[in-house]
Amino acid sequence: MAGSELQNSQNAQIDGNTLAAKSLSLFGATHMFGVVGIPVTSLANRAVQLGVRFIAFHNEQSAGYAASAYGYLTGKSGILLTVSGPGYVHGLAGLSNGMINTWPIVMISGSCDQKDFGRGDFQELDQVEAVKPFSKFAVKAKDITEVPKCVAQVLERAVSGRPGGCYLDLPTDVLHQTISVSEAEKLLKEAESAKETVTQGGIVNSDIDKAVSLLKEAKKPLIVFGKGAAYARAEGELKKLVESTGIPFLPTPMGKGLLPDTHPLAATAARSLAIGQCDVALVVGARLNWLLHFGEPPKWSKDVKFVLVDVCKEEIELRKPHLGLVGDAKKVLEMINKEIKDEPFCLGKNHPWVEAIWKKTNDNVLKMEVQLVKDVVPFNFMTPMRIIRDAILGVGSPAPILVSEGANTMDVGRAVLVQTEPRCRLDAGTWGTMGVGLGYCIAAAIACPERLVVAVEGDSGFGFSAVEVEKP
């Protein structure tokens, strides 16, 4: 390139839309969900030109639910793009859903011109302030030069520590500002080199020793795991732990499939017995919230000792378990397995506790099968669930991703539909959110194209997002 041509290219100008799109592409974004309009249409177009796939929705709520599920399934920040004001408010549903479920999601919204804020501008709202209860981090790019740094911050913080929701505000005037290509490249390089890394303190080996001793000395131990363990890809370490120790296990609804529901040590069908009588519970990637009855009587024994494994120190401090292990579920389980390997123990299938769990499980499964074999017309919940169960199992591996919502439909389906592989069940989750169905389906199809996606929904739950079926 001739000198004059090189100088001209370096002096060429790009606007905030292009710089934001370049930042997203540079820092690893490959997909974006949302509804475009003023002032973010050009941002979406520039991102598409740079290879980011934009998945358009009819409503920001469904787009947000899709972005949150994409974050869970991929371990990358799911990105939601909205317009300002009402579009932003609709998007808060998806952002907050990701935050409560501790899934990484980044919501990016346009906002009104900064000089006109407070004067009743078009779709005016203090969006950074409004988002605070629903996010772990929120930032506004107040000048075009801040865009790369802000994009890097939200993408990194959404996945660091306990995953969750982050928000980036891009005012209209910032999107229209321009800088030279050379300055833009400099800002991008600076933002990339300054990307934050969050490190966790190491777990004390003596705490691992204590955890193993508690399990070894327990008469009725139980391993409980949830979607935090699924997000951490801890299935291999869980399988090793369960099968080397012979300890029964209980998954939370979205923990199902980390080990197959058909595993001989699965206690799902004996849930009341398992949590009511266990004396030591190793809880991995699951919170002692309403889904687990807060770890309190009368559902749990008053004498149960909890060993809680969580990536968030504050969660452990809140629950006050007998022993807390702060760290990534997979890494903590690796340490526990290593300790057990040095001093192995196993309950054995004839252990009274294992026998009791197996007998209760078998009895309850047989009772349910009696109901399932009946062909009831008009349908009750059992007949269609049996048909769906058999069809899903007939697919084999890779197993389909099941998306389930609706009160009775979801509850009955949780008992009947069999999960055999990890991260293959998406439901209303920690917040009990209705309307997630079609957004989750679309996210699952994009994140896991090798898997069939099956939506099993109640009619009301389906109605929240039914229009999203209209996808090319």
Side-chain angles (χ1 to χ4, degrees):
M1 183 181 290
S4 59
E5 291 177 340
L6 178 61
Q7 184 174 2
N8 287 337
S9 68
Q10 293 298 302
N11 290 334
Q13 302 286 299
I14 64 172
D15 65 6
N17 290 293
T18 302
L19 185 56
K22 282 180 172 289
S23 302
L24 288 166
S25 178
L26 177 65
F27 301 138
T30 56
H31 295 82
M32 187 187 300
F33 306 83
V35 179
V36 296
I38 297 171
V40 295
T41 303
S42 293
L43 168 55
N45 287 334
R46 302 291 186 277
V48 170
Q49 291 168 3
L50 291 169
V52 178
R53 182 181 174 189
F54 185 82
I55 300 93
F57 281 74
H58 292 275
N59 183 282
E60 291 91 352
Q61 289 183 0
S62 291
Y65 296 143
S68 66
Y70 177 89
Y72 168 66
L73 292 170
T74 63
K76 296 169 52 179
S77 296
I79 300 172
L80 167 64
L81 182 67
T82 83
V83 299
S84 51
Y88 157 91
V89 171
H90 291 163
L92 290 178
L95 180 68
S96 57
N97 185 68
M99 187 67 186
I100 296 296
N101 282 296
T102 69
W103 297 344
I105 173 175
V106 169
M107 177 169 156
I108 302 174
S109 298
S111 60
C112 71
D113 195 307
Q114 293 177 95
K115 73 178 187 303
D116 292 326
F117 183 80
R119 302 173 62 199
D121 196 20
F122 176 68
Q123 296 187 339
E124 178 187 311
L125 178 66
D126 189 345
Q127 296 173 183
V128 173
E129 185 64 29
V131 81
K132 287 180 179 178
F134 311 111
S135 61
K136 60 188 287 192
F137 176 72
V139 64
K140 174 186 285 191
K142 297 178 180 178
D143 185 85
I144 188 173
T145 58
E146 298 178 5
V147 169
K149 177 186 70 175
C150 290
V151 171
Q153 283 180 324
V154 292
L155 291 177
E156 282 294 312
R157 294 199 186 191
V159 297
S160 66
R162 169 182 274 185
C166 291
Y167 174 68
L168 172 59
D169 194 90
L170 296 175
T172 299
D173 52 305
V174 171
L175 292 172
H176 291 159
Q177 286 176 347
T178 60
I179 57 173
S180 67
V181 171
S182 58
E183 186 177 359
E185 293 300 327
K186 178 184 176 184
L187 291 169
L188 289 167
K189 288 179 181 178
E190 289 175 352
E192 186 174 27
S193 62
K195 282 201 300 183
E196 301 172 356
T197 55
V198 177
T199 57
Q200 293 177 329
I203 299 169
V204 181
N205 286 333
S206 61
D207 286 340
I208 296 295
D209 294 342
K210 290 176 185 176
V212 172
S213 294
L214 284 165
L215 291 173
K216 186 184 297 186
E217 294 166 8
K219 290 181 170 53
K220 297 179 179 181
L222 181 68
I223 298 171
V224 180
F225 49 82
K227 62 180 178 291
Y231 179 83
R233 272 61 180 171
E235 54 269 19
E237 295 302 320
L238 274 170
K239 184 175 188 292
K240 186 183 298 183
L241 176 62
V242 166
E243 296 186 349
S244 67
T245 62
I247 297 175
F249 67 86
L250 177 69
T252 64
M254 285 182 59
K256 282 163 64 71
L258 281 171
L259 292 178
D261 288 345
T262 52
H263 194 287
L265 289 168
T268 303
R271 188 177 191 272
S272 295
L273 172 67
I275 68 174
Q277 293 190 18
C278 72
D279 54 0
V280 172
L282 173 65
V283 183
V284 184
R287 286 169 281 178
L288 293 176
N289 56 19
W290 69 275
L291 285 164
L292 289 173
H293 313 289
F294 306 104
E296 297 174 349
K299 295 293 186 179
W300 294 84
S301 165
K302 62 181 178 61
D303 298 318
V304 63
K305 294 177 180 177
F306 286 106
V307 179
L308 190 56
V309 179
D310 199 283
V311 74
C312 179
K313 180 182 178 182
E314 290 75 17
E315 177 67 24
I316 289 176
E317 291 174 344
L318 171 67
R319 305 301 174 183
K320 297 179 175 61
H322 183 82
L323 177 63
L325 301 174
V326 181
D328 174 81
K330 183 177 180 180
K331 293 177 181 176
V332 174
L333 289 173
E334 285 175 353
M335 297 175 72
I336 290 175
N337 282 327
K338 184 176 184 300
E339 180 68 21
I340 290 173
K341 183 180 179 182
D342 293 339
E343 296 184 36
F345 69 95
C346 185
L347 300 188
K349 64 180 181 180
N350 295 323
H351 188 282
W353 175 235
V354 175
E355 283 190 332
I357 293 289
W358 182 88
K359 183 179 185 304
K360 189 65 174 178
T361 296
N362 194 50
D363 289 347
N364 286 342
V365 168
L366 289 175
K367 287 177 184 176
M368 186 173 67
E369 285 298 326
V370 170
Q371 300 300 315
L372 287 170
V373 296
K374 298 175 183 176
D375 288 323
V376 179
V377 181
F379 277 169
N380 60 10
F381 279 101
M382 290 297 190
T383 300
M385 285 296 177
R386 184 201 72 217
I387 296 169
I388 295 167
R389 178 196 67 181
D390 293 347
I392 289 175
L393 288 173
V395 172
S397 185
I401 293 178
L402 171 69
V403 177
S404 183
E405 68 172 326
N408 294 327
T409 302
M410 185 171 63
D411 290 343
V412 175
R414 187 168 57 245
V416 176
L417 302 177
V418 178
Q419 306 295 148
T420 58
E421 295 180 12
R423 293 167 296 282
C424 287
R425 178 182 172 86
L426 298 171
D427 62 25
T430 306
W431 231 10
T433 310
M434 289 295 103
V436 296
L438 270 295
Y440 281 9
C441 287
I442 293 163
I446 291 167
C448 307
E450 75 282 5
R451 295 185 186 271
L452 176 69
V453 180
V454 179
V456 182
E457 307 206 358
D459 54 351
S460 180
F462 176 65
F464 278 87
S465 62
V467 71
E468 304 300 344
V469 164
E470 187 188 37
K471 283 282 178 289

